[in-house]
Amino acid sequence: MIGVVVPVHNEEACLGACLEALRLAATCPLLHGEAVCIVIVLDACSDQSQRIVLAHAMQADLRWRLDCIAVNAQNVGTARAAGAQQLLQRGARWLAFTDADTRVSPSWLSTQLGLNADAVCGTVAVDDWSPHGSNAAALLAHFARTYTDANGHRHIHGANFGVRASTYLRAGGFAPLACSEDVALVAALQACGAHIAWSAAPRVTTSARRHARARGGFGDTLLQVAAAMEASTQLTPTQSLSQ
């Protein structure tokens, strides 16, 4: 069985699109009928996120199921770890992770598995920069100039990550970190000798929203770059969109 974890904190605006994309990935013919279980971890949600999950769960069939659990941590590392624990208890052999503001490609899971690695670090794409208004075109240009969307990259995104269940356990799993929990886990994987595929093949599209959920993450980095644009006509050379 393949497991998927999505941490959610008040994501009603984008969660439906995320779940529809995951349904397509879970029913990809290239998985050859292997069951997929998606666990949504509702972390201190006060909006309609749970109702959206339950509505999508009604579409499940023998190929995939959609469940949700609740935590009250307001901590993405804790949320990812809780979802992973649920799936490990159910016998998942592979754990895939994404975010609620992200849409995975239909072949996302099958591509991760096809890389035959202990873990897969994928890249992200953004198809709508308009939330940044007058800075949208400059942000797009900066992203294209500084981001490596190719095999051999060294980006780490919780929105596009997969790991063999046994390797996840060997590395100690996600730490209860409010940000960079993905970076910490990859460091632990490297320390225990895991084979990591740094691949651009598993495709996801994420948002460029102006309300970042985690300080230090991809969205927060976008806001920092946008702020630099507003303060100066030139970007700081050291700014990077690697997270």
Side-chain angles (χ1 to χ4, degrees):
M1 185 260 282
I2 302 163
V4 179
V5 178
V6 185
V8 170
H9 174 64
N10 293 341
E11 296 282 11
E12 63 183 8
C14 54
L15 186 54
C18 170
L19 295 177
E20 176 59 23
L22 284 172
R23 181 187 67 81
L24 294 175
T27 56
C28 176
L30 295 175
L31 294 177
H32 304 294
E34 182 171 3
V36 176
C37 182
I38 303 166
V39 172
I40 307 302
V41 184
L42 302 169
D43 187 2
C45 289
S46 58
D47 65 352
Q48 298 299 310
S49 291
Q50 182 177 22
R51 181 170 293 182
I52 293 168
V53 174
L54 295 176
H56 281 263
M58 298 293 289
Q59 305 173 30
D61 56 35
L62 293 176
R63 297 169 295 175
W64 70 289
R65 62 182 290 182
L66 174 62
D67 296 325
C68 63
I69 61 174
V71 299
N72 191 31
Q74 296 191 51
N75 181 291
V76 67
T78 297
R80 290 196 201 278
Q85 182 62 29
Q86 284 282 320
L87 290 164
L88 290 169
Q89 291 174 353
R90 298 177 189 180
R93 70 179 182 94
W94 182 264
L95 301 172
F97 299 85
T98 191
D99 290 336
D101 67 333
T102 300
R103 290 170 284 118
V104 306
S105 69
S107 62
W108 180 61
L109 291 172
S110 58
T111 301
Q112 283 192 3
L113 293 169
L115 290 167
N116 296 315
D118 293 320
V120 176
C121 290
T123 56
V124 299
V126 175
D127 62 0
D128 181 12
W129 294 92
S130 63
H132 291 275
S134 61
N135 290 323
L139 272 175
L140 170 59
H142 181 65
F143 182 80
R145 187 170 61 251
T146 63
Y147 189 83
T148 304
D149 190 4
N151 292 339
H153 69 88
R154 283 300 183 269
H155 305 301
I156 300 171
H157 300 288
N160 193 357
F161 177 71
V163 60
R164 197 181 307 276
S166 57
T167 308
Y168 176 86
L169 289 170
R170 188 165 78 247
F174 280 107
L177 300 174
C179 70
S180 298
E181 78 294 341
D182 44 4
V183 176
L185 177 55
V186 170
L189 289 167
Q190 292 173 316
C192 70
H195 168 48
I196 300 174
W198 301 86
S199 176
R203 304 300 298 173
V204 308
T205 301
T206 197
S207 75
R209 61 186 178 188
R210 293 187 61 85
H211 302 290
R213 291 293 192 265
R215 184 170 297 278
F218 180 75
D220 185 55
T221 303
L222 288 180
L223 294 180
Q224 292 181 41
V225 173
M229 290 176 177
E230 293 172 357
S232 172
T233 56
Q234 287 190 328
L235 291 170
T236 304
T238 57
Q239 284 281 35
S240 169
L241 294 177
S242 62
Q243 295 298 313

